[in-house]
Amino acid sequence: MINELDTVVLSHDVEEHGLQQGDIGAVVHVYQDAAAYEVEFVTGEGETVAVLTLTAEDIRPMSEREILHVRELLSA
């Protein structure tokens, strides 16, 4: 189950926002019956890259055994 403020992992690229599979986001809103999620993606300095409405097919919870990785954001 995914809840508000959970850290989630993007399941596929979202090229129009420069996001790639594996990018990390934070759930800022869960729609009724968990039909969709509002997820914010930010840079390391806290600048918002995108706030997207996504489904459970688009994201997954982070596992406790995963490690974060840094990459430069490419222009969309």
Side-chain angles (χ1 to χ4, degrees), residues 3-20:
N3 298 301
E4 286 186 12
L5 304 180
D6 281 357
T7 303
V8 294
V9 180
L10 190 61
S11 298
H12 58 82
D13 294 353
V14 181
E15 293 178 14
E16 58 268 27
H17 294 284
L19 298 172
Q20 294 179 358

Side-chain angles (χ1 to χ4, degrees), residues 16-30:
E16 58 268 27
H17 294 284
L19 298 172
Q20 294 179 358
Q21 179 180 352
D23 285 348
I24 306 300
V27 177
V28 295
H29 182 71
V30 177

Side-chain angles (χ1 to χ4, degrees), residues 1 3 5 22-23 37 41 43 45 48 54 56-58 66 71 73-74:
M1 169 175 264
N3 298 301
L5 304 180
D23 285 348
Y37 306 89
F41 296 88
T43 66
E45 294 182 334
T48 298
L54 302 169
E57 294 177 359
D58 299 317
E66 291 182 302
R71 69 174 181 84
L73 181 65
L74 301 177

